[in-house]
Amino acid sequence: MAEAKPTVELRKGINGLDKVVLREVKGSSVEVYLYGGQVTSWKNNHGEELLFVSSKALFKPPKAIRGGIPICFPQFGTHGTLEQHGFARNRNWSIDDNPPPFPASTSTKTFVDLILKPSEEDFKTWPHSYEFRLRVALGPGGDLMLTSRIRNTNSDARPFSFTFAYHTYLSVSDISEVRVEGLETLDYFDNLKGKEHFTEQGDAIIFESEVDKIYLSTPNKIAIIDHEKKRTFVLRKDGLPDAVVWNPWDKKAKAMPDFGDEEFKYMLCVEAAAIQKPITLRPGEEWKGRQELAAVPSSYCSGQLDPEKVLHG
Ligand code: TA6
């Protein structure tokens, strides 16, 4: 029998939106919609869904799909004339048939290259020319890798600055059973307290109410431990110094029409980001921001999780 091969297929998704499905031979898969350039599914070898997408997500432009990994560009948050989290997640991306060469290090063969270029409409609110290339790749072991390459293609000498986040919604069994390791003792802005500056306490972060924090100058490896599932997500990042942690909890959950009232219990956003220090590119310059997600069985030792092994192993 012919050996199974990884596949990359263009399919019709919800509401007839185009999506690309990546499949690895051991069974893991990823789905990315051309609308928003947004990953909406990442499954392990057993077909278990590792990302959260709301059951009430609209999958209907111009609203961003609620879940998966929305791309926040050219702005994280709300300020000035741009909509919340910028426009990249509300635009139609196209498949990039002729991407500039990628460093040979990316061994995986199961990937798709997408590209977003400015529209006349967007030029009115963000008057810059750019090329935003996104590679979504599925590693042979089922890891999910996103690489963004953003180039300033202004024909005049104008530089531009932007902020950025991979707004990743992880699927968890029960938010009260989740801990985050790697952000202890760091400084953060608290979005719930007028973006005031605080310092995180020394223990792993646990969740008992709404959280909306932007951690600054964070390590390039963060562990999200789901006790009940005995699963640890390891988020590795490069070029993205900050990390946002968000759970809307009950009140905010009820206030979002595209989010189920109880769904806050089954998700956590941990977002590799560049927020505190906007990225500035002169014409011709390119920025690269990578995020890699792995889901590993949580190692137990003496009844406690051994995050050290995960973070420093
Ligand atoms: O990443 C956290 C956050 O900035 C929260 O403040 C909340 O607004 C969330 O993003 C969702 O934003 P959205 O525009 O997708 O509803």
Side-chain angles (χ1 to χ4, degrees):
M1 183 159 95
E3 195 190 289
K5 287 200 174 350
T7 58
V8 179
E9 292 168 316
L10 182 60
R11 292 275 186 77
K12 283 293 179 197
I14 297 173
N15 294 339
L17 295 174
D18 288 327
K19 67 179 180 181
V20 176
V21 182
L22 309 179
R23 268 185 218 296
E24 257 302 328
V25 290
K26 293 193 191 121
S28 57
S29 65
V30 167
E31 296 192 356
V32 47
Y33 275 75
L34 297 193
Y35 176 57
Q38 191 158 334
V39 172
T40 55
S41 173
W42 169 41
K43 290 182 179 173
N44 63 16
N45 293 344
H46 311 294
E48 292 170 303
E49 181 56 69
L50 301 168
L51 296 179
F52 167 87
V53 173
S54 171
S55 59
K56 299 173 81 173
L58 297 178
F59 284 85
K60 196 162 170 296
K63 180 81 183 142
I65 299 167
R66 175 71 63 192
I69 308 179
I71 302 265
C72 302
F73 171 83
Q75 165 185 294
F76 177 88
T78 25
H79 43 81
T81 52
L82 290 176
E83 58 218 282
Q84 157 111 321
H85 294 335
F87 47 68
R89 64 178 184 167
N90 309 86
R91 295 292 178 274
N92 290 314
W93 291 57
S94 36
I95 291 179
D96 183 6
D97 297 321
N98 179 23
F102 242 78
S105 59
T106 46
S107 56
T108 179
K109 301 276 174 294
T110 318
F111 63 84
V112 61
D113 287 319
L114 304 181
I115 186 165
L116 177 69
K117 289 185 179 175
S119 64
E120 291 285 305
E121 206 44 39
D122 292 336
F123 204 82
K124 290 178 196 151
T125 52
W126 202 66
H128 296 293
S129 298
Y130 63 87
E131 283 173 356
F132 183 160
R133 288 183 156 86
L134 173 68
R135 174 168 289 191
V136 179
L138 180 59
D143 294 359
L144 169 60
M145 292 162 275
L146 274 71
T147 307
S148 292
R149 293 186 291 175
I150 297 170
R151 178 181 295 280
N152 178 339
T153 55
N154 278 336
S155 49
D156 53 21
R158 284 176 311 124
F160 63 57
S161 299
F162 62 93
T163 52
F164 181 97
Y166 289 117
H167 198 297
T168 306
Y169 286 75
L170 297 169
S171 173
V172 297
S173 52
D174 173 351
I175 188 63
S176 59
E177 292 285 318
V178 171
R179 294 155 46 132
V180 174
E181 306 266 353
L183 301 175
E184 304 80 24
T185 75
L186 296 183
D187 286 351
Y188 66 88
F189 292 124
D190 192 333
N191 254 344
L192 302 179
K193 295 177 181 151
K195 290 194 174 48
E196 253 188 78
H197 222 144
F198 296 89
T199 302
E200 190 54 80
Q201 33 85 20
D203 305 325
I205 299 164
I206 58 171
F207 300 90
E208 297 159 326
S209 61
E210 183 183 357
V211 169
D212 191 349
K213 298 180 176 178
I214 301 173
Y215 291 87
L216 308 173
S217 310
T218 60
N220 281 341
K221 212 164 150 186
I222 299 170
I224 300 96
I225 298 140
D226 182 337
H227 274 279
E228 204 164 298
K229 278 245 170 43
K230 298 189 183 54
R231 172 188 292 155
T232 295
F233 291 104
V234 182
L235 186 157
R236 291 180 176 81
K237 55 191 177 65
D238 198 36
L240 294 157
D242 307 323
V244 183
V245 176
W246 177 58
N247 186 290
W249 221 255
D250 55 349
K251 232 169 84 226
K252 279 272 172 64
K254 287 190 177 67
M256 290 189 281
D258 61 343
F259 192 92
D261 292 357
E262 301 298 310
E263 287 186 324
F264 68 94
K265 297 173 183 167
Y266 311 111
M267 54 70 69
L268 178 67
C269 282
V270 180
E271 309 164 33
I275 300 172
Q276 186 188 32
K277 299 191 188 83
I279 293 146
T280 299
L281 297 176
R282 291 190 299 270
E285 285 187 327
E286 179 177 85
W287 169 81
K288 196 163 103 167
R290 267 174 61 82
Q291 164 179 293
E292 205 170 300
L293 279 171
V296 298
S298 291
S299 49
Y300 278 75
C301 78
S302 64
Q304 286 302 317
L305 273 170
D306 183 10
E308 284 310 302
K309 209 179 263 177
V310 172
L311 282 178
H312 308 299

